[in-house]
């Protein structure tokens, strides 16, 4: 009998292999993936060590004037106003904000500038991606074993396939309108019907090409496949990201005064069951998430 670890590895590996094959010979050939920003590659490398060097990360942050200014603005903003004298260097700003939080801000900044979004169909795309990432990191703090850094990246990159498709595929803007309006089938079913691929696959491709954490590739690829929740051939960490992502999206929609979507209506019970939470805990999570939203 195959042991669970090898089974988990094989499913995640199968997803990567499928993406690679489709990239070479299938519908993903036409997708133009922007190159991973050099500073993001340096940042990923710096953070891959057991004890990241704050000075090295500060030097990376200083490699982009606008990114450094963003960190200083946050450190001197209302969240940290009572702390004392204004920060004047990137190092001071990072000390005040915290290393992990600074890296999250830098990752979001670099991603947003690598994949600009100007289409009306994706109004507020990066603001909502940042908000989702904040919700994911906050939820991860309530879930033993789930890295807040990984959760934040999942929230940030979750729908990155959409702007990439918009830039690469003729007619995708119309597909977004159609997919959003149809109630007879899921969003990704319309994408696949029109383009033989979807934003979950393309988002996983971006993460794969940019050489980010392997669990992100599988989790983003499967983030609409809620029927897979609990299957033994998928690593538990990937299930947890997908289930927490559904919760984060729901809490974000509630904060924005939007109605619940079809994914939540159809699959919240499975997600809550996987995370072993009830409605009382969900209410506590919502309170914690809203505090973070209100501070942004």
């Amino acid at each position: 009998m195959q042991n669970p670890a090898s089974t988990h590895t094989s499913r995640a590996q199968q997803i990567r292999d499928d993406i690679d094959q489709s990239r070479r010979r299938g519908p993903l050939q036409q997708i133009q993936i922007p190159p991973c920003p050099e500073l993001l590659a340096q940042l990923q490398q710096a953070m891959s060590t057991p004890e990241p060097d704050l000075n090295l990360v500060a030097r990376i942050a200083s490699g982009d004037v606008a990114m450094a200014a963003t960190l200083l603005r946050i450190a001197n903003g209302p969240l940290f106003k009572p702390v004392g004298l204004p920060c004047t260097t990137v190092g001071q700003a990072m000390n005040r904000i915290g290393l992990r939080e600074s890296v999250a801000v830098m990752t979001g900044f670099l991603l947003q500038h690598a994949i600009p979004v100007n289409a009306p169909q994706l109004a507020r795309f990066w603001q909502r991606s940042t908000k989702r990432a904040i919700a994911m990191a906050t939820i991860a703090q309530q879930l033993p074993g789930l890295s807040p850094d990984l959760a934040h990246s999942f929230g940030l990159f979750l729908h990155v396939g959409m702007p990439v498709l918009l830039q690469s595929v003729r007619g995708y803007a119309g597909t977004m309108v159609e997919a959003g309006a149809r109630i007879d089938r899921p969003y990704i079913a319309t994408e696949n019907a029109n383009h033989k691929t979807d934003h979950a696959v393309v988002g996983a491709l971006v993460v794969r090409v940019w050489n980010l954490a392997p669990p992100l590739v599988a989790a983003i690829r499967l983030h609409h496949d809620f029927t897979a929740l609990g299957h033994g051939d998928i690593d538990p960490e990937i299930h947890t990201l997908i289930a927490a992502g559904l919760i984060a999206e729901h809490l974000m929609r509630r904060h924005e005064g939007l109605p619940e979507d079809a994914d939540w209506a159809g699959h919240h019970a499975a997600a809550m069951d996987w995370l072993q939470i009830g409605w009382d805990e969900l209410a506590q999570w919502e309170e914690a998430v809203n505090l973070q939203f209100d501070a942004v």
Side-chain angles (χ1 to χ4, degrees):
M1 189 174 75
Q2 198 174 26
N3 70 59
S6 67
T7 309
H8 294 156
T9 303
S10 68
R11 181 61 191 272
Q13 184 64 52
Q14 181 189 358
I15 288 170
R16 291 196 293 275
D17 290 346
D18 288 347
I19 287 172
D20 290 346
Q21 184 174 349
S22 185
R23 180 81 166 138
R24 287 192 300 270
R25 294 191 293 275
L28 295 182
Q29 283 179 301
Q30 64 180 314
I31 306 298
Q32 300 297 315
I33 303 297
C36 179
E38 178 60 31
L39 290 177
L40 182 57
Q42 292 177 22
L43 186 60
Q44 294 286 329
Q45 187 171 358
M47 294 303 292
S48 66
T49 60
E51 296 203 7
D53 181 348
L54 179 65
N55 291 324
L56 173 58
V57 177
R59 284 201 297 276
I60 294 168
S62 300
D64 185 295
V65 173
M67 181 163 63
T70 299
L71 288 168
L72 283 162
R73 189 182 71 247
I74 292 170
N76 293 323
L79 267 179
F80 300 97
K81 207 158 194 174
V83 172
L85 294 172
C87 296
T88 56
T89 69
V90 169
Q92 291 171 351
M94 290 178 62
N95 274 320
R96 182 172 290 183
I97 298 169
L99 177 61
R100 300 285 171 183
E101 293 80 1
S102 297
V103 168
V105 170
M106 292 164 67
T107 302
F109 177 93
L110 291 166
L111 177 58
Q112 185 170 344
H113 285 77
I115 306 177
V117 178
N118 303 310
Q121 294 88 349
L122 289 174
R124 297 180 57 245
F125 179 83
W126 285 121
Q127 293 95 318
R128 297 192 86 246
S129 296
T130 301
K131 198 172 177 181
R132 186 185 302 106
I134 289 168
M136 283 294 298
T138 305
I139 288 170
Q141 290 167 359
Q142 315 298 320
L143 293 170
L146 181 60
S147 157
D149 297 340
L150 185 66
H152 183 277
S153 293
F154 177 76
L156 195 60
F157 281 85
L158 189 62
H159 289 159
V160 76
M162 290 182 175
V164 172
L165 277 163
L166 199 56
Q167 291 170 8
S168 299
V169 177
R170 186 187 300 273
Y172 184 70
T175 293
M176 295 183 74
V177 175
E178 179 189 350
R182 293 187 71 143
I183 58 173
D184 61 322
R185 64 184 183 188
Y187 195 101
I188 59 172
T190 298
E191 290 177 316
N192 276 291
N194 292 357
H195 307 294
K196 297 187 172 62
T197 192
D198 59 62
H199 73 274
V201 173
V202 174
L205 173 64
V206 174
V207 173
R208 173 84 169 127
V209 170
W210 286 17
N211 200 31
L212 302 183
L216 283 181
V217 178
I220 290 173
R221 170 65 186 86
L222 297 171
H223 78 267
H224 280 294
D225 188 6
F226 298 105
T227 58
L229 270 179
H231 280 205
D233 64 344
I234 301 172
D235 191 276
E237 183 177 47
I238 294 168
H239 289 301
T240 301
L241 283 170
I242 294 167
L246 184 65
I247 304 281
E249 191 75 29
H250 173 66
L251 297 183
M252 188 168 73
R253 291 179 69 86
R254 279 177 57 85
H255 187 259
E256 295 172 349
L258 298 173
E260 69 177 38
D261 61 11
D263 282 346
W264 177 258
H267 304 289
H268 68 269
M272 291 172 69
D273 185 54
W274 174 263
L275 298 174
Q276 298 183 337
I277 65 164
W279 292 103
D280 288 346
E281 283 168 295
L282 185 63
Q284 292 169 8
W285 289 11
E286 182 169 19
E287 189 175 341
V289 165
N290 284 346
L291 284 173
Q292 293 296 317
F293 287 162
D294 292 340
V296 173

